[in-house]
Amino acid sequence: MDRKGLRLLDQFRGLWGILSAGTHRVLLITLIGFFVAAVLISFRLDLKISGSSNESYLPAELRGDLSDSVVVKTGIFVNRLHDVSISSGTFSANGWIWMAWDKPGKDDWHKTRKLDIGSIDLINEIPGRGQFERLDPEPSESDVEGRLYHSIRFSSVFLMEAQDFRRFPFEKIRLPIEVGTDDHPTYRMIYIPDEKDSMISDRVNLPGYRYEGLKHKNLFYIANTLWGHEYPASETSRQPLSYPQLEWEMHFRRSTSSSFVRLFLPLGAAMAALLFSLIAHFKVSVQKISIPASILLVLAVLQDRWHRVLPPGLPYLTYMDKLFIFAYVVTVIVFAHSVFCVNLYHSSSGESQALLCAKMRHQQRRLASGICCALLIGPIILWFV
């Protein structure tokens, strides 16, 4: 019995030795798995829960009872653009806005109620940050018979729309100037764009971006609220009022050349250094291990640098984020393989070192070839993911 117990004890010790020898690997894989799971769960938690909307926008159309509304032709000329901050979502602009409308008839509502440029609000302007100057105290008659004309010079700070940076650094940005009113519902007033004369100055420039055009959206804005007004119980189907809005959008696309020089060139140089570390000899083991470790730090610094130009806390990954994740994975694979090969090389006997070195050098060259193919194909796949 004693001998049998000792044999069982020896077997248990042998099994425990095998398990304990690989414990650090199991723990390492477990930690990596927990980290990946935590990242995936964090993005899952940030997904927007769909629900009922508190406001809506409808395409502006002249039909039905809207035919009796005052149709205001509205135009804009943007003279300057400056202090564009993508990270804070604001920009400054100055220029001119004008409006033209038919003279009121004897039965029109705006014959007794004054209608002028003051009927226009800049919806996305930051309050208290703008200056406005009426070019004429009162509306004047335009060259077209039966039309009135009024204009202002503006200089203000505006809020951007929610931008989509999923394609960064190949994204487009829209800088809107929203013209609207909360004084006159759509059954009284409708804005239509003056497409012929609305434009931006040749001096308007956004560094790092290429101008693509001035576009417009003609909308009816509806908020699902009665703004605190009480109505008789019999009017249970009372609908919220809609208000006219006209959005002028300046469209820009990031310059491709500057993106390659400032973003992709440092990343490409880091990946090139990583590939060269794979063909280094195992005798220079310090450099063979320290190069991938240093590249991990370089990638972290580069990622932090370009993250500063984006709004903080984006709930999704940009294209550049995906490329850096890909670069992190490749670098960690190279680092782990180099550590394994160096340890194996130095722990082997002198007679087998030459054969082992040739075998591992062949493996690392094959790894370098595989990484080269991945660096060519990976960015294309990530673009569509």
Side-chain angles (χ1 to χ4, degrees):
M1 289 293 295
D2 293 339
R3 292 181 179 179
K4 187 176 181 180
L6 290 173
R7 284 200 301 269
L8 290 174
L9 182 61
D10 290 338
Q11 291 176 359
F12 177 77
R13 287 176 179 175
L15 179 62
W16 175 253
I18 295 173
L19 293 176
S20 60
T23 301
H24 65 285
R25 297 186 181 93
V26 175
L27 290 176
L28 180 60
I29 294 174
T30 303
L31 288 175
I32 294 175
F34 273 118
F35 177 76
V36 173
V39 172
L40 295 176
I41 293 174
S42 66
F43 278 95
R44 181 67 180 176
L45 294 176
D46 284 335
L47 291 178
K48 187 176 181 180
I49 301 175
S50 59
S52 58
S53 176
N54 295 325
E55 55 188 0
S56 58
Y57 294 87
L58 300 176
E61 298 180 6
L62 296 175
R63 65 168 184 250
D65 57 349
L66 301 179
S67 59
D68 296 329
S69 303
V70 178
V71 179
V72 180
K73 194 172 187 179
T74 308
I76 190 172
F77 184 90
V78 180
N79 185 49
R80 284 287 193 276
L81 186 67
H82 56 95
D83 295 337
V84 179
S85 175
I86 295 177
S87 59
S88 62
T90 60
F91 68 97
S92 300
N94 62 63
W96 293 266
I97 293 177
W98 61 88
M99 57 185 287
W101 66 100
D102 292 332
K103 284 184 178 180
K106 63 178 181 179
D107 297 328
D108 291 335
W109 65 268
H110 58 294
K111 183 176 180 63
T112 57
R113 184 171 179 178
K114 186 177 181 181
L115 180 63
D116 61 7
I117 197 68
S119 302
I120 285 181
D121 297 320
L122 298 180
I123 304 298
N124 64 323
E125 177 211 3
I126 298 180
R129 303 285 296 275
Q131 298 179 357
F132 303 92
E133 177 187 354
R134 297 193 181 199
L135 301 182
D136 296 301
E138 298 293 334
S140 58
E141 293 191 18
S142 65
D143 295 336
V144 181
E145 185 178 355
R147 301 281 286 174
L148 295 176
Y149 175 90
H150 212 188
S151 61
I152 59 169
R153 180 185 290 115
F154 70 91
S155 177
S156 189
V157 181
F158 300 92
L159 292 171
M160 296 182 189
E161 291 182 349
Q163 307 290 331
D164 189 352
F165 295 101
R166 286 181 174 86
R167 295 298 187 187
F168 177 84
F170 301 108
E171 82 284 6
K172 296 181 180 179
I173 65 169
R174 305 181 307 277
L175 304 183
I177 298 179
E178 302 175 12
V179 176
T181 181
D182 55 6
D183 291 334
H184 306 296
T186 55
Y187 65 82
R188 287 194 169 189
M189 178 184 292
I190 298 175
Y191 295 127
I192 62 172
D194 186 352
E195 299 183 58
K196 177 183 176 182
D197 289 331
S198 296
M199 61 188 68
I200 72 171
S201 171
D202 294 335
R203 295 170 291 186
V204 171
N205 182 40
L206 185 58
Y209 288 84
R210 184 177 69 252
Y211 174 68
E212 289 197 324
L214 179 67
K215 302 179 182 180
H216 64 83
K217 294 179 182 178
N218 197 6
L219 306 168
F220 292 159
Y221 170 75
I222 303 174
N224 296 328
T225 177
L226 298 178
W227 308 103
H229 296 294
E230 298 290 341
Y231 293 98
S234 59
E235 299 186 21
T236 55
S237 61
R238 182 80 179 190
Q239 296 296 321
L241 295 175
S242 61
Y243 295 90
Q245 284 193 11
L246 181 60
E247 298 183 8
W248 294 102
E249 292 183 341
M250 294 170 281
H251 286 239
F252 294 86
R253 179 190 290 273
R254 187 179 290 273
S255 174
T256 306
S257 58
S258 62
S259 297
F260 273 99
V261 172
R262 297 178 181 179
L263 299 174
F264 291 102
L265 185 60
L267 179 60
M271 292 296 97
L274 183 68
L275 291 174
F276 280 115
S277 72
L278 287 172
I279 63 176
H281 198 276
F282 290 102
K283 291 182 178 180
V284 288
S285 56
V286 175
Q287 290 81 357
K288 198 168 187 65
I289 296 177
S290 62
I291 290 177
S294 301
I295 290 175
L296 287 174
L297 297 178
V298 170
L299 291 176
V301 172
L302 291 176
Q303 189 174 24
D304 178 70
R305 188 180 70 178
W306 61 257
H307 263 184
R308 296 175 187 176
V309 305
L310 296 177
L314 290 176
Y316 51 80
L317 293 176
T318 66
Y319 177 63
M320 203 67 188
D321 281 318
K322 296 175 183 178
L323 289 181
F324 267 77
I325 292 174
F326 177 69
Y328 282 126
V329 171
V330 170
T331 306
V332 169
I333 290 174
V334 172
F335 178 71
H337 192 267
S338 296
V339 170
F340 172 77
C341 290
V342 168
N343 287 340
L344 192 61
Y345 173 79
H346 286 286
S347 61
S348 61
S349 60
E351 296 80 8
S352 61
Q353 271 190 350
L355 182 62
L356 184 63
C357 179
K359 184 178 179 180
M360 291 190 299
R361 282 174 63 86
H362 177 67
Q363 289 181 357
Q364 291 223 316
R365 290 179 185 276
R366 291 179 61 183
L367 179 60
S369 300
I371 291 176
C372 287
C373 295
L375 291 175
L376 292 175
I377 301 174
I380 299 174
I381 296 175
L382 292 175
W383 180 262
F384 297 100
V385 173

